[in-house]
Each structure stands twice: as structure tokens, then as C-alpha cells.
Amino acid sequence: MSHTVDSWNTCLNVPLEVEDKEIYELIQQEKWRQYSCLELIASENFTSQAVMEANGSALTNKYSEGLPGARYYGGNEHIDVIENVCRTRALAAFNLDAQKWGVNVQPYSGSTANFSALTGLLAPHDRIMGLDLPSGGHLTHGYATAKKKVSSSAIYFESLPYQVDMTTGYVDYDKLEQNASLFRPKLIICGASAYAREWDYARLRKVADQHGAYLMADIAHISGLVASSEAANPFEYCDVVTTTTHKTLRGPRAGLIFFRRAPKGEKNWDLEERINFAVFPSNQGGPHNNTIAAIAVALKQAASPAFKAYAKQVRANAVALSDALKAKGYKIVTDGTDNHIVLWDLRPIGITGSKMEKLCDYLAITLNKNAVHGDSSALTPGGVRLGTSALTSRSFKEADFVKVAEFLHRGVEIAIKLQSTAGKLLKDFIVAAESSEEVKALKAEVEAFAHSFPMPGFDPSSVPAALRH
Ligand code: DSN
């Protein structure tokens, strides 16, 4: 005998469009926004249809605390295989020997990956050194202000940042070494959110070894470039490597922690157990199996020759964007880029990063305000951060980024005009930008340009006409 669906369960098989029109329409509008704008946020990307299918799958229903083969719940025979496939692909994507490296694929995202890595490596109040946030570093690398320990990495550990050289914008390794000799860190973290240059991992290893410290790289921004050998290899020198999976790696939103493996008794032999225990049970509960499957899909893609070509183009596009802005007389931090990031110093033209970000929102150009080394106030960052990974996923090439630079230049010209009439206050600037006919005309041009490129992951023509705004 077969059973019928009870009345309290009828909602379980209704499509989103019918079941929750409000959320459905907001998703359609967001899809149209992504398709219509020039996406320049350096930490974002457009993931593939296959990744989104895995991410939106029935795997979200399953609990599986523990690791493959050692779970706290039954019914994990397929989940175990999926997590093992993901682990194998993670090592393969980064060309790692499974005898020497292991990986935990369960971190919910980059910040939890980093805190789990710190939990596994350190005892409370151990000393850490990471790149200062205003120098382009990340919150989770020990960020504190003079008044407040902001990140849990500064609340539970003692943090002394290192910085970029205030003249060149490059990491000041000499000063780092000098400060480390006084501070004697237990962990040095390299990696950044707004640093366009390559890392000297060998130098950092040398400093770490002077103090018997661990060296950890957070390659969240550049992991797609590392996987495709378009960036230096941190695995040669580091004990632990963390990353998010949704930036240049182009997967779902999640994190990974790679750790060295060694025979019992040798250096780092117990890292595997310490990192795994730090992820679960110390910091997380049940893994997000739908996300782990989606990471596996992204890692398969990242190991392909097509992804290598993509990563190469990401870098070429960043150079083209940086060169085109410089040709217009603008100042780029460090005078260029080695990766996907272009950090644009707006201080010489007298426009704050906040105003440029706002204006660009009205122009359908998405970017973010960013501190530039030497900024006097963290509240009014002097620059904006641009990245080329998302638009390269839409098949933009160098010439297209020259056009993007032209749009940005016209945006700056409008911003200067608006500021001269509206005055210095951001709120007055926003009012002026909202009603500017010049802004509306340029936005229409930007959108027409954006619409001429393909969109990965979804078909924009599926967005109902009424929701295209
Ligand atoms: N929010 C990310 C970024 O924009 O770089 C880092 O977590």
C-alpha cells in the first residue's frame, strides 16, 4: 500500500517560486544584479552551475559529526565517500603528496578555518604575528586596535602585527624579523586580503625557525592561483595552509585547512590530530555536506587545464587594469600587481574610498573601499580594492579591462564634480549621486557592456522581465 502526503507536509514539494514568492523574487533580482554589474570585488567570483547544484542538494539533510569512517551518526556511507573524494581532490589540486600533507575539508568558511588552525597549533595567550589589517592583512590574523581586541585571534592570543613598508607598500620583512626577535612568536601567519604582491615564504620560514615558531599561510585570496602555479607555492615552506574556497578557487563558500603529516615523533607528527580535533569538536559541529560535495566539484575543475588558463588570464587582466589606470595618471599601491588584486590609492585625487564605492554602486560597478597604508583614519579609507577573478569567469580579457578602467576613470571625473558641488560629507555626496543624470547615463552604458558577456552558473534570460532591476 502506498501512502499519500499529509496536509501538514504538502509544502514540502512546492517550488520556491510558489512556496515563497518574496524570497524567490529577491533571488531573481540578485541574479539580475550580478549579471548587470561589473563585479570587481577581489574576494568574489561566479561559481559554476555544477557547484551550485551540489551545494543546493539533499546532502544538506545529513548529520555527520566526525570524520569518514568515524562518525557519531549512522547513514553516512555516501557522505563518507563524498568527503574522501573531496580530501583526495584537495591534495591533487594543490599537487600534494598524501604521505606528507593532509586536509580537513569541514571548515564552514575562512574565519572558522583560521580559528581552528590557531586552536590546533597554539595554547591560549601564545604569541602570533600576522599582517596588520591596515597593511592589507585579515581580521583573523590577530587584529586589534589601540582600544579594542577586535578579532578572537587577538582576544585569545597575544598579537603583534607586522606591516608593509610605508613608502613602497611591500611587506617589510626586515622590520618583521627585528620585531620577531623581541616578541618571539609561536606562530607567524602570512597571507592577506588586500595585498597585490607575491610572498617571500622562504624568508618567513627562516624567521619562524629562529623562534621555533609555526608558519601558516592563509591563501584565501590566491588559492586558485596557487593551485594553477600562477603564484609561489606556500606548501614548500609552511606547516599549515588555510584557504577559503570561493575566491580565486571559484567554489562554494567554505574553508579548508591543510596540515603537514610526518611519522610519529618527527616534527609536526601530531598536527593532523590537533587540527582535526580543533575543527570538530572544539570549534564546529556537523559538517555541511552539501558544501563539501560542492568543494569537491570545484576542486575537480581547479585541477583542469581550463582552470590553469583561467588563472593565467586573471593575472593578465589585473596587469591590464592596473596599467590602464596608471596610464590615466592614477596611483596604484606598489605600482602594480602580481595576482588578481589592484589596490587603488585615491588620496592624490582627493576622493575617499567610501565615496568611490558608493558612486560605483550607482554605476553598476561593484567594488569595496579599502585602507591604504599610511591612512590616518580607518573610518575613511583612502582607496578601493579591485579584483579580476569574477569578470574573468565571464570571459573578460585584457582589452575589456581597459574598458573597465575607462568606466572607472569616468566615475572618478563624476565623483570630483559631485564633490565640488555637494561638499565633503558622504551623505550629501550620496544625495547628489542619486539624482545625477550623468550617473544614470553612465550606468546604462556599464550595464549594456556587462550584458554583452556570458554569465556562469545561471541563465539570465530565466529572470522574469518584471524582476530585472
Ligand atoms: N571578506 C573577505 C575579503 O573581502 O577579502 C575576506 O574575508
Side-chain angles (χ1 to χ4, degrees), residues 41 43 138 193 221 247 368 385:
I41 292 185
S43 47
H138 194 254
S193 279
H221 263 268
K247 299 187 175 87
N368 66 281
R385 185 185 62 165

